[in-house]
């Protein structure tokens, strides 16, 4: 019997954007071909690609988050903590005000994170604004 990793998980932000693209509230990306497909979906067709597509190192995965905003329609969100509980990754976040998003009426924030560790079997988004 293998022990599942438990406890806090290290992560860093790779990209932040707003998009109407149809995606689940989270997407786990484990290899470069999945990353290329995702970047193709979220690309703004009005502009040529301005930054390189990131690659993964060993024992890393990307996590795209697109939570449903309940408190801040034209707001943003901030991930405050991640922790493994069994094979599920709990992602704690809070909705925050963003003047630029409010003034430009931007909604549907998306964040792509680089996460250290083995990809989980599932993700649970936990809104701390309740």
């Amino acid at each position: 019997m293998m022990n599942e990793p438990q406890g806090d998980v290290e992560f860093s932000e790779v990209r932040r954007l707003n998009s109407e693209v149809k995606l689940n509230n989270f997407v786990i990306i484990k290899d470069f071909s999945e990353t290329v497909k995702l970047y193709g979906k979220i690309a703004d067709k009005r502009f040529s690609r301005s930054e390189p597509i990131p690659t993964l190192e060993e024992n890393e995965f990307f996590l795209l988050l697109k939570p449903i905003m309940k408190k801040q329609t034209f707001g943003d969100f901030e991930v405050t903590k991640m922790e493994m509980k069994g094979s599920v990754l709990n992602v704690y976040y809070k909705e925050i005000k963003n003047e630029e998003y409010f003034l430009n009426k931007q909604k549907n924030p998306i964040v792509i994170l680089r996460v250290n560790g083995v990809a989980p079997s599932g993700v649970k988004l936990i809104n701390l604004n309740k």
Side-chain angles (χ1 to χ4, degrees):
M1 188 166 101
M2 291 181 56
N3 288 338
E4 294 290 339
Q6 301 293 309
D8 289 355
V9 174
E10 291 183 34
F11 63 94
S12 61
E13 187 172 308
V14 174
R15 185 163 179 203
R16 181 176 291 271
L17 67 145
N18 295 85
S19 178
E20 296 283 335
V21 67
K22 299 272 189 235
L23 293 167
N24 293 331
N25 61 357
F26 74 88
V27 178
I28 297 169
I29 301 136
K30 301 180 222 171
D31 64 41
F32 189 70
S33 65
E34 292 175 352
T35 307
V36 171
K37 286 180 193 173
L38 173 67
Y39 270 68
K41 283 184 185 179
I42 63 175
D44 189 333
K45 306 299 184 225
R46 297 173 295 168
F47 306 104
S48 64
R49 195 172 77 222
S50 60
E51 58 187 86
I53 295 174
T55 59
L56 289 166
E57 299 295 324
E58 192 174 326
N59 207 30
E60 287 182 336
F61 63 94
F62 291 126
L63 178 63
L64 175 139
L65 299 174
K66 185 181 178 187
I68 297 169
M69 302 296 282
K70 295 179 180 171
K71 303 277 186 196
Q72 303 284 332
T73 303
F74 299 110
D76 200 358
F77 69 97
E78 174 182 61
V79 176
T80 59
K81 177 181 173 180
M82 287 189 200
E83 65 182 359
M84 288 297 291
K85 292 287 187 179
S87 63
V88 175
L89 180 64
N90 289 339
V91 178
Y92 299 88
Y93 72 97
K94 57 184 171 181
E95 296 180 30
I96 55 175
K97 289 183 180 181
N98 183 313
E99 290 299 318
E100 180 184 353
Y101 290 4
F102 182 77
L103 291 173
N104 295 322
K105 301 295 185 227
Q106 292 176 308
K107 52 186 178 178
N108 301 309
I110 296 173
V111 172
I112 300 173
L113 303 170
R114 178 184 306 271
V115 184
N116 294 339
V118 178
S121 64
V123 173
K124 182 177 180 184
L125 295 178
I126 301 167
N127 189 337
L128 299 173
N129 290 96
K130 296 182 182 198

